[in-house]
Amino acid sequence: MSGQGPQRRLLGSLNGTSPATPHFELAANQTGPRCLEVSIPDGLFLSLGLVSVVENVLVVAAIAKNRNLHSPMYYFIGCLAVSDLLVSVSNVLETAVMLLVAAGALAAQAAVVQQLDDIIDVLICGSMVSSLCFLGAIAVDRYLSIFYALRYHSIVTLQRAWRAISAIWVASVLSSTLFIAYYNHTAVLLCLVSFFVAMLVLMAVLYVHMLARACQHARGIARLHKRQHFIPQGFGLKGAATLTILLGIFFLCWGPFFLHLSLVVLCPQHPICGCVFQNFNLFLTLIICNSIIDPFIYAFRSQELRKTLQEVVL
């Protein structure tokens, strides 16, 4: 949970630096270039994490409450919310423990702190892997609902969905444990970055294919009715658009983090790469922002889920 530089841990802590206030500053190394560094206060981590926890708990509660949402699609969305919840809880817990230790309110031995750091890193890494997997599962689910509409309910059954969910969670826990155990090996970073790129390519291909089918379908209806305006599509295409937005936000929020990991492998000692490493806290803040944005997408895009959220809140 402490230490500086790209070699300190695979995921590191949210507090690689100790800023007092949020500001932009030019950090100059003795032999390197002047770098633009964004300092993030500890209070901001706690605030963002708590907001994310509340939002994702509401999403999970809404899906559990409404039987109309008990379908493979919403189960995958609920598991994605659980992954975001784990990221937020891990970050809030780590930041709170560090603040308590620094203030002297919590006396902990170095071995205990190290064990806690390992557990939190496993949670963060596992939630990252599971988030990617569930986004891929959601993309495949939407793809099947559009291109195999007549056979969709026979292909994507609840039993198969639960098997896929169980397999994803087991694989995420096992892989994150191995990643953290061997965090100082270059192969670990390469595996993480490769997995991220592979999942993004898979989802991008699926969504582009769905978009092409949607445009083709809209043109066919326009020709049939001799009209040249947009024809609203069904639930499947609406869900595909929602998840395309989700994928874009996920890429923007997680991309800098994986850029950081890539540079650790490519140029760990280069001064310019060192400027990127100094903003690691900002990259982790973007990850928390992703977990905050996700529930808003579900609430505003799904009328059924939005109605259930209102019932849960009230």
Side-chain angles (χ1 to χ4, degrees):
M1 292 173 52
S2 61
Q4 302 292 332
Q7 302 294 338
R8 60 184 181 73
R9 289 303 301 260
L10 172 63
L11 296 178
S13 72
L14 291 176
N15 304 286
T17 59
S18 298
T21 57
H23 66 283
F24 294 87
E25 65 179 18
L26 290 175
N29 298 328
Q30 293 181 354
T31 59
R34 295 176 64 84
C35 304
L36 179 63
E37 181 181 356
V38 183
S39 298
I40 307 296
D42 295 328
L44 180 59
F45 285 118
L46 292 174
S47 300
L48 293 176
L50 291 175
V51 171
S52 175
V53 168
V54 173
E55 290 179 355
N56 286 285
V57 166
L58 288 176
V59 172
V60 175
I63 295 176
K65 175 181 174 60
N66 192 341
R67 292 185 177 275
N68 294 331
L69 303 179
H70 292 182
S71 64
M73 173 65 178
Y74 284 103
Y75 283 147
F76 291 140
I77 291 177
C79 289
L80 182 59
V82 173
S83 298
D84 291 338
L85 181 63
L86 289 177
V87 172
S88 303
V89 170
S90 302
N91 290 330
V92 169
L93 177 62
E94 185 174 35
T95 304
V97 170
M98 291 190 67
L99 290 176
L100 291 175
V101 171
L106 179 62
Q109 299 179 353
V112 176
V113 174
Q114 184 63 42
Q115 292 177 357
L116 180 60
D117 181 48
D118 293 337
I119 295 174
I120 293 176
D121 283 346
V122 169
L123 287 175
I124 296 177
C125 186
S127 60
M128 175 197 67
V129 174
S130 62
S131 295
L132 280 169
C133 291
F134 284 120
L135 279 173
I138 293 171
V140 173
D141 177 78
R142 290 298 88 203
Y143 185 87
L144 293 175
S145 69
I146 293 175
F147 288 90
Y148 300 92
L150 298 179
R151 299 170 50 197
Y152 171 77
H153 293 289
S154 62
I155 296 175
V156 185
T157 62
L158 284 177
Q159 185 177 12
R160 291 177 178 174
W162 280 117
R163 288 178 181 176
I165 291 172
S166 301
I168 289 174
W169 282 118
V170 172
S172 299
V173 172
L174 293 178
S175 61
S176 61
T177 303
L178 292 176
F179 287 157
I180 298 303
Y182 299 98
Y183 69 92
N184 56 344
H185 290 72
T186 302
V188 170
L189 301 182
L190 291 177
C191 288
L192 280 174
V193 174
S194 299
F195 177 68
F196 174 74
V197 173
M199 293 302 297
L200 280 180
V201 171
L202 171 65
M203 290 182 282
V205 170
L206 293 179
Y207 288 132
V208 168
H209 196 186
M210 285 186 281
L211 180 61
R213 171 59 67 89
C215 294
Q216 180 183 6
H217 184 63
R219 287 195 297 267
I221 295 179
R223 286 194 299 267
L224 180 63
H225 294 276
K226 295 182 180 181
R227 298 173 182 174
Q228 298 298 327
H229 57 77
F230 176 76
I231 304 297
Q233 303 302 305
F235 173 79
L237 294 180
K238 181 180 178 181
T242 300
L243 295 175
T244 301
I245 297 174
L246 176 63
L247 178 61
I249 294 175
F250 184 88
F251 177 78
L252 292 176
C253 293
W254 280 93
F257 173 78
F258 283 96
L259 173 63
H260 175 96
L261 297 185
S262 300
L263 295 181
V264 169
V265 177
L266 298 175
C267 54
Q269 304 299 329
H270 197 280
I272 297 180
C273 296
C275 292
V276 178
F277 299 149
Q278 292 178 6
N279 289 285
F280 186 63
N281 285 350
L282 174 62
F283 305 155
L284 292 179
T285 303
L286 292 175
I287 293 175
I288 299 179
C289 291
N290 177 80
S291 63
I292 293 177
I293 295 173
D294 287 351
F296 281 101
I297 295 177
Y298 308 144
F300 291 129
R301 292 286 181 174
S302 173
Q303 181 178 1
E304 186 76 19
L305 182 57
R306 184 172 62 249
K307 179 180 177 181
T308 307
L309 281 175
Q310 294 175 350
E311 295 177 356
V312 171
V313 173
L314 297 178

